[in-house]
């Protein structure tokens, strides 16, 4: 069973999707996509985050990008994508990014 992550941090279903507002966006967690994601220099720089989200959401990224989310929400979305593709809990991903930020 796959998982559905939401920006309000609630795990709702088992499908690798992320809900933003009332719409769900599937996350591409196929092996080839995840390998491409892992090769990126995943820092908090928005260009790298954009590239990761493009890989994860495919054509759905254009719609998400037009939402012009506040940057904290965009960062959270990035964390949720990383959780969805790796199968980790969002809290684990957030803690890892916080540790890197503190170093």
């Amino acid at each position: 069973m796959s998982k559905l992550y939401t920006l309000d941090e609630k795990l709702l279903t088992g499908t690798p999707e992320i809900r933003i507002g009332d719409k769900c966006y599937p996350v591409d967690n196929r092996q080839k996509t995840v390998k491409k994601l892992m090769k990126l220099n995943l820092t908090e720089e928005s260009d790298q985050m954009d590239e990761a989200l493009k890989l994860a959401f495919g054509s759905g990224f254009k719609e998400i990008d037009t939402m012009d989310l506040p940057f904290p929400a965009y960062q959270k979305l990035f964390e949720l994508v990383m959780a969805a593709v790796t199968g980790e809990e969002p809290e684990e991903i957030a803690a890892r990014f916080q540790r890197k930020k503190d170093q």
Side-chain angles (χ1 to χ4, degrees):
M1 186 174 207
S2 52
K3 300 175 183 179
L4 168 68
Y5 297 91
T6 65
L7 281 177
D8 59 3
E9 300 181 19
K10 292 186 174 73
L11 178 60
L12 299 178
T13 68
T15 310
E17 299 178 332
I18 294 177
R19 185 182 72 200
I20 302 174
D22 293 333
K23 188 164 181 183
C24 289
Y25 297 90
V27 176
D28 183 352
N29 66 344
R30 293 176 299 165
Q31 175 186 356
K32 289 181 181 182
T33 303
V34 175
K35 284 181 179 181
K36 289 176 187 175
L37 281 168
M38 296 305 173
K39 287 181 181 178
L40 293 173
N41 180 17
L42 297 176
T43 63
E44 291 187 13
E45 295 178 26
S46 60
D47 289 344
Q48 294 297 320
M49 291 171 66
D50 283 352
E51 190 60 33
L53 295 178
K54 284 177 191 175
L55 285 168
F57 289 116
S59 62
F61 175 75
K62 290 179 185 178
E63 186 175 332
I64 294 167
D65 193 42
T66 62
M67 293 177 190
D68 200 21
L69 297 169
F71 193 70
Y74 196 71
Q75 285 178 302
K76 184 63 180 176
L77 178 60
F78 178 75
E79 291 173 8
L80 291 173
V81 164
M82 296 309 295
V85 301
T86 63
E88 294 179 82
E89 294 300 318
E91 297 79 17
E92 294 174 278
I93 300 294
R96 185 176 310 126
F97 283 124
Q98 185 62 44
R99 283 192 304 270
K100 285 183 180 180
K101 187 177 183 181
D102 291 341
Q103 291 177 351

